[in-house]
Amino acid sequence: MRGELRLRVVDRVGRVVTESVGHNLIVTGGYEAAAEALAGVAGAAIARVAVGTSGTEPTEGDTALTDAVSVAVQSVEYPAAGTVRFNFSIGYDVAVGMTICEFGLLTADGRLFSRKVREGIEKTEAMSIVGRWDIIL
């Protein structure tokens, strides 16, 4: 299993300020949640995307983001066989003033599924972050 996170930082008039694509680390808890989701455990489904402030490289044992702020997944798609896509937006009024260095997928019961660290984004009310997170089985 692997993941890919695509981000676009968009200003208030809809212009794309920056775009990035990168792979993430699926943590141990993510593999456990995936097994539970296959067995129908409702709380194991991915339901939220979180942002945080730590720039520390991800490790398999990670269980949370630092100073996390989360939003609900807006929609789910299946763009190819064995791929699930989670679409989300960190709106203009979310995480304002935060230097966002990490992203995480969270299960419905709050467990960290995967984590991605990148160069910090100084989040202001003049920008939103639009993303899609693909998990490929």
Side-chain angles (χ1 to χ4, degrees), residues 117-131:
V117 172
R118 53 154 291 135
E119 180 181 324
I121 299 170
E122 300 290 333
K123 179 67 171 65
T124 71
E125 68 279 347
M127 68 174 65
S128 70
I129 302 170
V130 178

Side-chain angles (χ1 to χ4, degrees), residues 81-95:
T83 300
V84 60
R85 175 173 294 156
F86 302 95
N87 298 300
F88 66 94
S89 177
I90 308 298
Y92 295 104
D93 60 342
V94 177

Side-chain angles (χ1 to χ4, degrees), residues 2 23 27 33 38 64 68 70 72 75-76 93 113 122 132-133 137:
R2 61 188 174 86
H23 296 282
V27 299
L38 288 171
S70 70
S75 65
V76 178
D93 60 342
F113 183 92
E122 300 290 333
R132 68 181 204 204
W133 204 321
L137 306 176

Side-chain angles (χ1 to χ4, degrees), residues 39-52:
V41 176
I46 293 172
R48 301 188 70 76
V49 174
V51 294

